[in-house]
């Protein structure tokens, strides 16, 4: 039966899960196949290992170089403190530096200097040198990071950035574990060597520090081989009117950009809000564990829980939620994390706390990857260094402030309980209150980011979430503009009607109307079109379907999405339903397979309205005449099946279709079409960016 597959579900959940796993492996492989990214990634892995090892070794050395135990504590906190100060002082310069100067050399020099400083620490064996060197090391790291973040998008395609960020975050934080093991190993080795070789006597962490220096030298060499990442933009040193700008001027330009761009501001505020809440949680975790009458073991568990949650968030989160708009996902995850922190504040026992801490950190992990990816995708190359420099230094400042203020505030509030009538009570101590407020604060920031960044106005979140879990069909993404597709068999009059609608919309004052068609609206598409319509071409049905899909993928990517994102009203002659009718109903390719191909090609982009000009094929083909292309030349039975296919599709999704009887006069068809289109446009005008020049009378 030809129509058997009409109306079947898209695909089973198991299929989808497997597809997700396959996609993930494929994405990982495709990102790591880019030679330059692979090199940059190994440099990052080495530098991260060096950073962690350096943290352990320098704090251990600080303790070893101090005489009394209280001096030891001061020395350790001194070393930790000087790690935070550079962000306050040099943060903004570091970002501007990455935009103005060669990013490759910025990274190489930072690595070489950091390596050299570690050698200096070992040679000097003095606390003052250690503190000054730590300060400098941190300062150079500050220059390294924005240079690296700004370089990644120059090596990869935009759709590869999410995977690249997952990999980067995993190696940045995951390297803490091997660093700790390595530190233990190197310390024991040092002790063993010290018993025989005088050189190693002075200090048990020397070997770790030398090793650390070596990781930076090797990283510098690795970056040296990456000629493609220089990425410096000549425009970063010039103003809009092409005047040279000073370093301070370019820092200001970066800040103004972050502030003025709605999306970037939403992202930055979200990232900083999440880190502020994270800082409070870290600062209060120890007293919180005590509050729940649990001890050191519980503290350890909580710590492991945080890492596990983040790791799951970084790795599987973005994939599991692959179908949700990234801009929405970011805000949603911060809301989720904030809500969980607020719950953690009030839960009565450790097991519940562990569950919610895990969920909160998993949400935070997803928000982190998504936020960084969106920033890399949205911010133009010449501003990227400054944006990342700004975010990076603000994160450090905020962490520093919350780490200091959290416990102080909790202490000032003190310990209270509110008694309820029946002997029960509610905790109202400082820790609970501060954690709760931090959670609510993050939640509010998440909501505000979501509002600022929402790119699917009018699509309900619940529907999107259900679709992401494959419980419901994916909701039509609602880009800024308005998308109308015209469908129908041969000779139905689509091109005439599209032109008439364009004039009608212009007369009614609607701005920015775009006319386009399939197949053949892009450069590669026009080659595909000639192939598809040439009567001499012989193609199997599946190959034909894939060639139409290839044309569509290019059209969506190059024309439809960008124009819709700009708020255009797009009128498209044929779209997905042509494939479902011609290749599905006509060529009898199962619809669910075809739909999957369409999803790949369109990434879920659906028309807001599809207008079906319905006509018996006998009449339509009569209008076409004798000079027929490959598709028009198909037998009548094929064209009848196509018409039935269109009608079945329209029947299934009545809300999205307008079916018009195309035997009427062109003027009557046009009036019907214009009335429906303007009615729908009026309805969405408040929530989309479609523009109307003046208040000319509404049509029809
Ligand atoms: P075109 O000259 O654009 O025809 P029309 O003016 O009728 O739109 O040729 C497009 C032909 O390709 C048409 O016969 C329909 C067919 N087609 C498919 O079979 N599948 C598709 O996905 C699309 C877009 C078109």
């Amino acid at each position: 039966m030809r129509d058997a597959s009409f109306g079947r579900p898209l695909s089973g959940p198991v299929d989808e899960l497997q597809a997700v796993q396959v996609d993930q492996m494929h994405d990982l492989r495709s990102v790591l196949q880019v030679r330059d990214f692979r090199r940059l990634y190994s440099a990052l892995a080495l530098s991260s290992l060096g950073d962690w090892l350096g943290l352990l070794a320098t704090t251990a050395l600080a303790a070893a170089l101090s005489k009394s135990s209280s001096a030891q504590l001061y020395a350790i906190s001194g070393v930790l403190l000087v790690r935070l100060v550079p962000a306050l002082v040099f943060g903004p310069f570091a970002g501007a530096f990455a935009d103005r100067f060669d990013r490759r050399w910025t990274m190489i020099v930072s690595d070489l200097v950091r390596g050299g400083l570690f050698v200096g620490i070992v040679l000097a064996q003095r606390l003052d040198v250690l503190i000054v060197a730590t300060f400098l090391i941190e300062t150079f790291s500050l220059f390294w990071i924005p240079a690296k973040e700004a370089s990644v998008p120059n090596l990869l395609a935009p759709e590869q950035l999410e995977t690249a960020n997952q990999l980067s975050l995993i190696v940045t934080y995951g390297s803490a574990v091997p660093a700790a093991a390595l530190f233990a190993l190197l310390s024991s080795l040092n002790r063993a060597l010290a018993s025989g070789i005088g050189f190693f006597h002075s200090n048990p962490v020397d070997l770790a520090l030398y090793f650390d220096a070596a990781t930076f030298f090797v990283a510098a060499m690795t970056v040296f081989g990456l000629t493609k990442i220089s990425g410096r933009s000549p425009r970063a040193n010039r103003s809009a009117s092409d005047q040279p700008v000073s370093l301070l001027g370019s820092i200001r330009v970066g800040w103004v950009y972050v502030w003025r761009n709605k999306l970037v501001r939403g992202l930055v505020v979200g990232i900083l809000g999440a880190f502020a809440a994270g800082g409070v949680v870290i600062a209060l975790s120890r007293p919180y564990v005590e509050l729940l009458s649990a001890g050191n073991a519980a503290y350890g568990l909580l710590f492991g829980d945080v890492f596990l949650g983040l790791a799951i968030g970084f790795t599987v989160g973005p994939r599991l939620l692959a179908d949700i708009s990234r801009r929405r996902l970011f805000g949603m995850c911060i809301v989720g994390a904030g809500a969980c922190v607020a719950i953690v504040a009030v839960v009565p026992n450790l097991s519940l706390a562990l569950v919610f801490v895990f969920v909160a950190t998993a949400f935070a992990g997803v928000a982190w990857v998504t936020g960084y990816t969106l920033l890399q995708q949205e911010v133009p190359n010449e501003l990227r260094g400054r944006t990342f420099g700004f975010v990076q230094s603000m994160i450090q400042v905020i962490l520093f402030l919350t780490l200091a203020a959290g416990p102080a505030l909790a202490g000032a509030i003190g310990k209270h309980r509110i008694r309820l009538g029946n002997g029960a009570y509610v905790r109202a101590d400082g820790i609970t209150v501060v954690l709760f407020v931090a959670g609510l604060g993050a939640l509010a920031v998440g909501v505000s980011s979501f509002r600022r960044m929402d790119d699917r106005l009018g699509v309900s979140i619940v529907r999107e979430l259900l679709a992401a879990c494959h419980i419901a069909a994916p909701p039509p993404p609602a880009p800024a503009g308005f998308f109308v597709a015209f469908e129908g068999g041969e000779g139905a009059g689509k091109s005439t009607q599209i032109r008439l609608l364009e004039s009608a919309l212009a007369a009614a004052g609607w701005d920015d109307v775009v006319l386009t068609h399939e197949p053949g609206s892009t450069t590669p598409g026009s080659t595909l079109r000639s192939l598809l319509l040439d009567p001499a071409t012989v193609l199997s049905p599946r190959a034909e379907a894939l060639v139409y899909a290839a044309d569509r993928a290019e059209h969506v990517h190059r024309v439809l999405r960008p124009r819709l994102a700009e708020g255009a009203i797009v009128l498209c002659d044929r779209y997905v339903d042509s494939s479902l009718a011609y290749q599905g109903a006509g060529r009898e390719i199962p619809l669910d397979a075809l739909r999957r191909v369409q999803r790949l090609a369109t990434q879920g982009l659906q028309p807001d309205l599809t207008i079906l000009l319905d006509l018996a094929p006998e009449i339509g083909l009569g209008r076409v005449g004798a000079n027929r292309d490959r598709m028009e030349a198909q037998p009548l039975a094929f064209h009848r099946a196509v018409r039935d296919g269109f009608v079945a599709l329209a029947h299934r999704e009545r809300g999205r279709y307008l079916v018009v009887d195309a035997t009427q006069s062109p003027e009557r068809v046009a009036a019907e079409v214009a009335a429906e289109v303007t009615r729908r446009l009026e309805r969405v005008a408040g929530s989309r960016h479609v523009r109307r020049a003046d208040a000319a009378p509404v049509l029809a």
Side-chain angles (χ1 to χ4, degrees):
M1 266 205 356
R2 170 167 297 143
D3 276 352
S5 49
F6 271 82
R8 283 224 311 255
L10 302 185
S11 56
V14 177
D15 264 13
E16 294 289 350
L17 204 63
Q18 275 169 352
V20 163
Q21 284 165 351
V22 171
D23 280 358
Q24 184 149 25
M25 283 315 295
H26 175 263
D27 288 351
L28 276 179
R29 235 178 283 139
S30 89
V31 166
L32 288 173
Q33 262 164 9
V34 179
R35 178 182 156 274
D36 284 349
F37 176 76
R38 212 169 48 233
R39 286 182 142 235
L40 182 62
Y41 186 64
S42 9
L44 172 69
L46 278 171
S47 296
S48 305
L49 189 73
D51 274 341
W52 287 111
L53 202 58
L55 179 69
L56 293 169
T58 48
T59 41
L61 182 63
L65 291 176
S66 317
K67 308 257 159 9
S68 68
S69 63
S70 65
Q72 274 186 4
L73 281 179
Y74 281 124
I76 293 175
S77 56
V79 167
L80 290 177
L81 202 68
V82 289
R83 290 179 76 96
L84 286 171
V85 179
L88 298 173
V89 187
F90 300 115
F93 295 100
F97 205 87
D99 284 338
R100 290 171 77 93
F101 297 97
D102 188 301
R103 288 175 187 152
R104 175 166 154 262
W105 278 106
T106 305
M107 290 165 77
I108 295 172
V109 172
S110 308
D111 276 335
L112 289 178
V113 173
R114 287 189 289 177
L117 286 164
F118 275 110
V119 175
I121 293 175
V122 189
L123 296 180
Q125 298 288 337
R126 280 169 43 185
L127 192 58
D128 49 356
V129 174
L130 171 64
I131 302 243
V132 172
T134 308
F135 176 83
L136 291 175
I137 287 168
E138 202 49 40
T139 307
F140 278 92
S141 303
L142 213 63
F143 283 81
W144 194 92
I145 293 168
K148 175 241 157 194
E149 300 290 5
S151 301
V152 176
N154 297 345
L155 301 179
L156 297 171
E159 61 274 15
Q160 290 178 310
L161 290 176
E162 186 166 278
T163 310
N165 282 326
Q166 288 178 297
L167 284 170
S168 297
L169 284 170
I170 292 166
V171 80
T172 306
Y173 295 91
S175 55
V177 181
L182 200 62
F183 180 67
L185 187 80
L186 291 173
S187 308
S188 335
L189 200 62
N190 198 322
R191 233 171 283 130
L193 288 174
S195 57
I197 310 170
F199 181 71
F200 290 102
H201 265 308
S202 51
N203 212 296
V205 294
D206 287 0
L207 200 55
L209 287 167
Y210 278 127
F211 187 91
D212 198 8
T215 62
F216 286 106
F217 292 139
V218 177
M221 271 158 44
T222 316
V223 177
F224 184 75
L226 293 174
T227 41
K228 260 210 252 156
I229 63 170
S230 129
R232 171 179 49 143
S233 160
R235 270 190 287 157
N237 296 350
R238 315 194 79 82
S239 69
S241 52
D242 214 29
Q243 297 298 310
V245 282
S246 66
L247 187 63
L248 283 177
S250 74
I251 292 174
R252 204 182 58 84
V253 171
W255 286 6
V256 169
Y257 168 76
V258 170
W259 187 247
R260 293 244 175 98
N261 185 307
K262 210 168 146 196
L263 171 71
V264 174
R265 195 166 79 210
L267 274 169
V268 170
V269 169
I271 291 175
L272 298 183
F275 270 98
V280 173
V281 173
I282 296 169
L284 293 181
S285 55
R286 189 72 190 85
Y288 173 76
V289 168
E290 263 159 40
L291 188 73
L292 295 183
S293 323
N296 268 337
Y299 187 47
L301 263 183
L302 201 70
F303 226 81
D305 203 32
V306 167
F307 271 91
L308 193 69
L310 278 178
I312 298 280
F314 288 160
T315 49
V316 293
R319 284 285 144 194
L320 276 181
L321 303 166
D323 290 339
I324 298 185
S325 132
R326 273 11 209 171
R327 296 182 181 198
R328 280 188 147 191
L329 183 61
F330 175 73
M332 279 167 160
C333 285
I334 294 181
V335 170
C340 287
V341 169
I343 296 174
V344 167
V346 296
V347 294
N349 62 47
L350 187 72
S351 354
L352 274 178
L354 286 174
V355 172
F356 284 101
V357 163
F358 174 79
V359 181
T361 48
F363 272 131
V366 181
W368 201 337
V369 174
T370 322
Y372 266 62
T373 307
L374 281 170
L375 265 188
Q376 284 175 335
Q377 286 171 343
E378 294 296 331
V379 180
N381 184 32
E382 65 268 21
L383 283 159
R384 228 181 267 141
R386 273 167 282 180
T387 310
F388 275 101
F390 174 78
V391 171
Q392 145 97 8
S393 52
M394 286 306 287
I395 287 175
Q396 299 227 16
V397 171
I398 280 181
L399 277 181
F400 179 70
L401 288 180
T402 47
L403 283 173
L409 211 64
I413 296 173
K415 284 201 168 167
H416 312 279
R417 284 171 171 196
I418 301 170
R419 269 182 214 292
L420 301 178
N422 50 4
Y425 64 89
V426 177
R427 290 198 316 250
D429 53 276
I431 299 158
T432 305
V433 172
V434 174
L435 270 182
F436 191 69
V437 171
L440 291 189
L443 198 147
V445 165
V447 170
S448 128
S449 288
F450 185 92
R451 288 235 182 99
R452 225 167 259 161
M453 296 164 55
D454 191 2
D455 58 348
R456 292 200 178 171
L457 292 172
V459 176
S460 99
I461 303 175
V462 177
R463 182 151 174 224
E464 196 166 2
L465 278 174
L466 288 179
C469 305
H470 306 288
I471 296 170
F482 193 77
F483 181 13
V484 184
F486 279 75
E487 299 284 8
E490 311 301 329
K494 293 184 281 61
S495 358
T496 312
Q497 287 305 325
I498 287 185
R499 273 196 307 271
L500 289 174
L501 178 61
E502 184 195 21
S503 321
L505 289 175
W510 293 99
D511 255 359
D512 200 6
V513 179
V514 175
L515 266 53
T516 182
H517 65 273
E518 288 188 4
S521 278
T522 60
T523 315
S526 63
T527 313
L528 299 178
R529 179 185 168 91
S530 324
L531 174 82
L532 284 163
L533 300 185
D534 182 351
T537 305
V538 182
L539 263 182
S540 66
R542 279 171 199 274
E544 180 182 288
L546 290 171
V547 178
Y548 275 114
D551 167 75
R552 182 159 302 129
E554 197 61 17
H555 189 213
V556 168
H557 179 66
R558 299 249 169 252
V559 182
L560 297 179
R561 277 201 192 273
R563 297 302 282 121
L564 286 166
E566 287 166 13
I569 299 170
V570 176
L571 312 181
C572 184
D573 189 343
R574 298 199 182 277
Y575 191 58
V576 167
D577 292 351
S578 275
S579 283
L580 300 181
Y582 279 81
Q583 281 67 49
R587 301 276 192 223
E588 302 188 27
I589 297 179
L591 272 195
D592 48 359
L594 261 184
R595 282 207 161 98
R596 236 174 283 165
V597 173
Q598 301 308 315
R599 264 202 305 213
L600 179 71
T602 63
Q603 293 189 299
L605 179 70
Q606 281 198 33
D608 294 289
L609 171 65
T610 299
I611 292 164
L612 173 58
L613 302 181
D614 184 40
L615 189 69
E618 294 84 344
I619 308 178
L621 288 168
R623 290 178 184 174
V624 167
N627 193 8
R628 297 186 178 181
D629 66 32
R630 193 177 68 93
M631 299 305 284
E632 288 162 347
Q634 296 299 314
L636 187 62
F638 173 86
H639 290 288
R640 288 207 177 116
V642 170
R643 183 196 190 184
D644 293 348
F646 273 129
V647 172
L649 287 168
H651 190 70
R652 230 188 105 191
E653 262 191 274
R654 284 183 205 149
R656 180 165 66 83
Y657 268 90
L658 170 73
V659 182
V660 186
D661 174 2
T663 54
Q664 306 175 88
S665 72
E667 294 71 31
R668 291 199 62 155
V669 173
E672 239 181 87
V673 169
E676 181 65 16
V677 172
T678 40
R679 188 179 72 77
R680 293 201 187 216
L681 269 173
E682 299 279 346
R683 206 167 63 193
V684 300
S687 58
R688 307 265 181 104
H689 298 296
V690 282
R691 283 180 294 273
R692 214 172 167 177
D694 51 47
V698 178
L699 287 177

